Coordinates of all heavy atoms in Angstrom, one line a residue:
L85 N 104.3 76.0 128.4 CA 103.2 75.9 129.4 C 103.8 75.3 130.7 O 104.6 74.4 130.6 CB 102.1 75.0 128.9 CG 101.4 75.4 127.6 CD1 100.4 74.3 127.1 CD2 100.7 76.7 127.7
S86 N 103.4 75.9 131.8 CA 103.9 75.3 133.0 C 103.0 75.7 134.2 O 102.4 76.8 134.1 CB 105.3 75.7 133.3 OG 105.8 75.2 134.5
G87 N 102.9 74.9 135.2 CA 102.2 75.2 136.4 C 103.1 76.0 137.4 O 102.7 76.3 138.5
Y88 N 104.3 76.2 137.0 CA 105.3 76.9 137.9 C 105.9 78.1 137.2 O 105.9 78.3 136.0 CB 106.4 75.9 138.2 CG 105.9 74.5 138.6 CD1 105.8 73.5 137.7 CD2 105.5 74.3 139.9 CE1 105.4 72.2 138.1 CE2 105.1 73.0 140.3 CZ 105.0 72.0 139.4 OH 104.6 70.8 139.7
T89 N 106.4 79.0 138.1 CA 107.1 80.2 137.6 C 108.6 80.0 137.9 O 109.3 80.9 138.2 CB 106.6 81.5 138.3 OG1 106.7 81.3 139.7 CG2 105.2 81.8 137.9
D90 N 109.1 78.8 137.7 CA 110.4 78.4 138.0 C 111.4 79.2 137.0 O 111.2 79.2 135.8 CB 110.7 76.9 137.8 CG 112.1 76.5 138.3 OD1 113.0 76.8 137.5 OD2 112.1 75.9 139.4
F91 N 112.4 79.8 137.6 CA 113.3 80.7 136.8 C 114.0 79.9 135.7 O 114.2 80.3 134.6 CB 114.3 81.3 137.7 CG 115.4 82.1 136.9 CD1 115.0 83.3 136.3 CD2 116.6 81.7 136.8 CE1 115.9 84.1 135.6 CE2 117.6 82.4 136.0 CZ 117.2 83.6 135.5
E92 N 114.3 78.6 136.0 CA 115.0 77.8 135.0 C 114.1 77.5 133.8 O 114.6 77.5 132.6 CB 115.4 76.5 135.6 CG 116.6 76.6 136.5 CD 117.9 77.1 135.8 OE1 118.1 76.7 134.7 OE2 118.6 78.0 136.4
Y93 N 112.8 77.4 134.0 CA 111.9 77.2 132.9 C 111.8 78.4 132.0 O 111.8 78.3 130.8 CB 110.5 76.8 133.4 CG 110.4 75.4 134.0 CD1 109.3 75.1 134.9 CD2 111.3 74.4 133.7 CE1 109.2 73.8 135.4 CE2 111.2 73.2 134.3 CZ 110.2 72.9 135.1 OH 110.1 71.6 135.7
V94 N 111.7 79.5 132.7 CA 111.6 80.8 132.0 C 112.9 81.0 131.2 O 112.9 81.4 130.0 CB 111.4 82.0 132.9 CG1 111.4 83.3 132.2 CG2 110.1 81.8 133.7
K95 N 114.1 80.7 131.8 CA 115.3 80.9 131.1 C 115.5 80.0 129.9 O 115.9 80.4 128.8 CB 116.5 80.6 132.1 CG 117.9 80.8 131.6 CD 118.9 80.4 132.7 CE 120.3 80.5 132.1 NZ 121.3 80.2 133.1
C96 N 115.0 78.8 130.0 CA 115.0 77.8 128.9 C 114.1 78.3 127.8 O 114.5 78.2 126.6 CB 114.6 76.4 129.4 SG 114.5 75.2 128.1
A97 N 112.9 78.8 128.1 CA 112.0 79.3 127.1 C 112.6 80.4 126.3 O 112.6 80.5 125.1 CB 110.7 79.8 127.8
V98 N 113.3 81.4 127.0 CA 113.9 82.5 126.3 C 115.1 82.0 125.5 O 115.3 82.5 124.3 CB 114.4 83.5 127.4 CG1 115.2 84.6 126.7 CG2 113.2 84.1 128.1
A99 N 115.9 81.2 126.0 CA 117.1 80.7 125.3 C 116.8 80.0 124.0 O 117.5 80.0 123.1 CB 117.9 79.8 126.2
N100 N 115.6 79.3 124.0 CA 115.2 78.5 122.8 C 114.2 79.3 122.0 O 113.4 78.6 121.2 CB 114.8 77.2 123.2 CG 115.9 76.3 123.8 OD1 116.7 75.8 123.0 ND2 116.0 76.2 125.1
H101 N 114.1 80.6 122.1 CA 113.2 81.4 121.3 C 111.8 81.1 121.3 O 111.1 81.1 120.3 CB 113.7 81.4 119.8 CG 115.1 82.0 119.7 ND1 115.3 83.2 119.2 CD2 116.3 81.4 119.9 CE1 116.7 83.5 119.2 NE2 117.3 82.4 119.6
A102 N 111.3 80.7 122.5 CA 109.8 80.5 122.7 C 109.1 81.8 122.5 O 109.6 82.9 122.8 CB 109.5 79.9 124.1
V103 N 107.9 81.8 121.9 CA 107.1 83.0 121.7 C 106.7 83.6 123.0 O 106.7 84.8 123.2 CB 105.9 82.7 120.8 CG1 105.1 84.0 120.6 CG2 106.4 82.2 119.5
D104 N 106.3 82.8 124.0 CA 105.8 83.3 125.2 C 105.8 82.1 126.3 O 106.1 81.0 125.9 CB 104.4 83.8 125.1 CG 104.1 85.0 126.1 OD1 104.8 85.0 127.1 OD2 103.2 85.8 125.8
Y105 N 105.6 82.5 127.5 CA 105.6 81.5 128.6 C 104.3 81.7 129.4 O 104.0 82.8 129.9 CB 106.8 81.9 129.6 CG 106.9 80.9 130.7 CD1 107.8 79.8 130.6 CD2 106.2 81.1 131.9 CE1 108.0 79.0 131.7 CE2 106.4 80.3 133.0 CZ 107.3 79.2 132.9 OH 107.4 78.3 134.0
L106 N 103.4 80.7 129.3 CA 102.1 80.9 129.9 C 101.9 79.9 131.1 O 102.4 78.8 131.1 CB 101.0 80.5 128.9 CG 100.9 81.5 127.7 CD1 99.7 81.0 126.8 CD2 100.7 82.9 128.1
L107 N 101.3 80.4 132.2 CA 101.0 79.6 133.3 C 99.7 78.9 133.2 O 98.7 79.4 132.6 CB 101.0 80.4 134.6 CG 102.3 81.0 135.0 CD1 102.1 81.9 136.3 CD2 103.3 79.9 135.4
K108 N 99.6 77.6 133.7 CA 98.3 76.9 133.7 C 97.6 77.1 135.0 O 98.3 77.3 136.1 CB 98.6 75.4 133.5 CG 99.2 75.0 132.2 CD 99.4 73.5 132.0 CE 100.5 73.0 132.9 NZ 100.7 71.5 132.7

Side-chain angles (χ1 to χ4, degrees):
L85 303 172
S86 180
Y88 312 95
T89 55
D90 188 284
F91 176 72
E92 284 301 318
Y93 289 161
V94 176
K95 183 179 176 182
C96 177
V98 172
N100 292 282
H101 296 259
V103 177
D104 211 333
Y105 182 97
L106 298 180
L107 291 177
K108 296 184 290 186

